[in-house]
Amino acid sequence: MLPPPSEVYLDACATAPPAVEVLEAMARAHREAWANPSSLHGHGLAAAERLERDRQALAARLGCGGDELLIVSGGSEAIHAALVGSDGPLEPGRVLLSAVEHPASYAAAAALARRGWDVQLLPVDRRGVVDLEDLQRLLTPPTRLVSVLWGQSEVGTLQPIEAIGALCRQAGVRFHVDAVQVVGHRPVDFSRLPVDLLSCTAHKLQGPRGVGALLVRRGVRLQPLIGGAQEGGRRGGTEPVALVAGFAAALELADRRLAAHGGGDPLASLRDQLLADLRRLEGLRLSGPEPDGPAGRLPHHISLLVDGPEGRPIGGRRLVRELARRGYAVSSGSACASAGAGTAGTSAVLLAMGYDPAEASSGLRISLGPWNSPDDLAGLPAALEQARRGVAVAPG
Ligand SMILES: Cc1ncc(COP(=O)(O)O)c(C=O)c1O
């Protein structure tokens, strides 16, 4: 069934509608640079030139060299390329992940475990933040690899990436950051981060699905997951020139938006107003860090735990369906996690943060994008209150 045409899209952390400029850049690349960039004829050279220009544009905006930017199919592949690809260049040892990673990171860690690595999870506090003292204690041999997600998709937590990276550098431990939810919402300068590998994806910032990048610091060796001559022998497969063009256009748009607001995401003020309005309602609690707290929070992100009128947590999935019937597209957590969480819909992320199972199934996520306006959000608190109270939707 198609969603109602009037549905307000508030699920940017799941994916974002491609911007018009992105679609135009992709159509142009499909028309003018459709050939295989490895071909030596004129068509191939045109595609190679277009790919190289877009790679350089992406690299310049992310603060890395073109040779440090590996084109991949998205965040999940980038994470696997970084973690599973570290096996070989690094001897099996201990790999540390936070307890609130994306499922792709746990899948990659499980692949490492099958190859003899010891996987250990770093506990988080009630806000979802990794404890630096715990980390420091574990940054001793045989720890060889650390992977932490910068912006948590379900509860919005920003991890102290610079501090974690500094500790990893001191210990001589390779550090991968999952920056999928962060790129496009704050400036990212790889050249200034104490990070060896950084994953991102185009579709969270209004680019196309099916393309992303792994930034690989010079000198960091990886075992390719897919053999072939492309990407300097680091990732086989004919490069998706038009998708890369769309990714470059999306990042340019996002960067311009940030630059016009002094490097900050203008969505933060829209989010803050909505959060203030929602906080006037009963039965709602923010999960994850306060937007103005010391830990920091994704600027376009609100996550709530919702209690019914009788004070008991309401299943987040039920609320998502109720809000969809009222014209609002939201999520009960991370889209991927809710797909894998089973019928209970209990969030492993909220459990790791110390919530009980009933609370951990009552999560609701509202994530904003540049297409949203204050008018889009004006009716949401009332709709949520009705949904919470089980008020039936008026027919027609
Ligand atoms: C934090 C995080 N990491 C990784 C991914 C996976 O990215 P992709 O969908 O491009 O494979 C997602 C997508 O939901 C995400 O939110």
Side-chain angles (χ1 to χ4, degrees):
M1 196 183 78
L2 289 172
S6 59
E7 201 176 52
V8 177
Y9 191 72
L10 302 172
D11 202 10
C13 283
T15 196
V20 172
E21 293 87 338
V22 166
L23 296 175
E24 284 169 355
M26 286 171 61
R28 213 166 31 249
H30 267 310
R31 267 197 314 271
E32 298 166 4
W34 48 267
N36 187 327
S38 300
S39 299
L40 295 178
H41 44 63
H43 296 294
L45 295 179
E49 191 191 319
R50 176 77 220 213
L51 177 65
E52 194 48 31
R53 245 190 303 138
D54 287 327
R55 183 196 306 280
Q56 292 298 337
L58 284 168
R61 292 190 186 282
L62 294 168
C64 66
D67 59 322
E68 293 179 299
L69 190 144
L70 198 62
I71 301 292
V72 294
S73 66
S76 300
E77 185 188 331
I79 290 165
H80 279 74
L83 299 187
V84 183
S86 286
D87 180 56
L90 300 182
E91 290 289 308
R94 191 195 288 137
V95 52
L96 305 177
L97 276 75
S98 87
V100 290
E101 295 297 302
H102 186 269
S105 296
Y106 295 131
L112 287 177
R114 290 192 290 276
R115 295 165 189 220
W117 287 70
D118 171 29
V119 180
Q120 207 152 319
L121 298 190
L122 297 164
V124 294
D125 65 17
R126 191 79 165 173
R127 302 162 305 167
V129 182
V130 164
D131 184 314
L132 294 179
E133 284 179 14
D134 284 337
L135 171 69
Q136 198 158 15
R137 248 193 318 279
L138 286 164
L139 277 178
T140 49
T143 297
R144 302 212 166 87
L145 184 57
V146 172
S147 185
V148 174
L149 94 178
W150 195 341
Q152 217 292 331
S153 52
E154 201 177 319
V155 292
T157 310
L158 292 171
Q159 299 291 352
I161 288 306
E162 279 94 347
I164 295 173
L167 291 173
C168 289
R169 281 269 153 94
Q170 262 171 32
V173 167
R174 185 179 282 197
F175 181 35
H176 165 253
V177 169
D178 170 356
V180 161
Q181 292 290 353
V182 163
V183 169
H185 293 284
R186 64 187 288 159
V188 170
D189 184 352
F190 189 61
S191 71
R192 301 173 79 91
L193 289 173
V195 167
D196 300 302
L197 298 152
L198 183 140
S199 293
C200 56
T201 195
H203 73 98
K204 307 284 186 186
L205 47 136
Q206 293 194 279
R209 224 160 301 157
V211 68
L214 176 65
L215 310 193
V216 185
R217 181 134 351 254
R218 276 180 209 116
V220 171
R221 285 191 310 120
L222 293 174
Q223 175 69 32
L225 298 189
I226 306 173
Q230 290 87 356
E231 298 294 298
R234 295 182 296 173
R235 197 260 188 188
T238 305
E239 297 90 339
V241 179
L243 294 179
V244 178
F247 188 4
L251 190 57
E252 181 182 345
L253 277 178
D255 253 13
R256 280 212 236 120
R257 202 161 38 241
L258 293 174
H261 293 84
D265 189 339
L267 291 171
S269 53
L270 200 58
R271 184 273 314 270
D272 290 345
Q273 183 56 55
L274 176 61
L275 182 57
D277 293 343
L278 290 170
R279 279 183 148 161
R280 293 197 190 97
L281 305 178
E282 277 173 33
L284 301 185
R285 276 178 290 161
L286 186 73
S287 61
E290 286 294 330
D292 55 0
R297 180 175 188 105
L298 286 169
H300 56 312
H301 191 288
I302 293 176
S303 51
L304 302 166
L305 302 176
V306 185
D307 287 342
E310 73 300 331
R312 279 198 303 278
I314 307 184
R317 290 168 169 217
R318 202 184 104 200
L319 280 171
V320 169
R321 282 193 292 269
E322 290 290 327
L323 282 170
R325 285 165 48 196
R326 290 168 171 82
Y328 295 96
V330 300
S331 157
S332 62
S334 96
C336 321
S338 41
T343 46
T346 309
S347 155
V349 168
L350 290 171
L351 290 176
M353 289 160 63
Y355 290 97
D356 69 35
E359 292 173 308
S361 63
S362 69
L364 193 70
R365 178 181 73 186
I366 300 163
S367 48
L368 309 178
W371 57 89
N372 292 131
S373 67
D375 281 352
D376 283 348
L377 307 176
L380 179 61
L384 181 50
E385 178 58 9
Q386 287 175 3
R388 195 177 81 82
R389 292 188 173 278
V391 177
V393 179

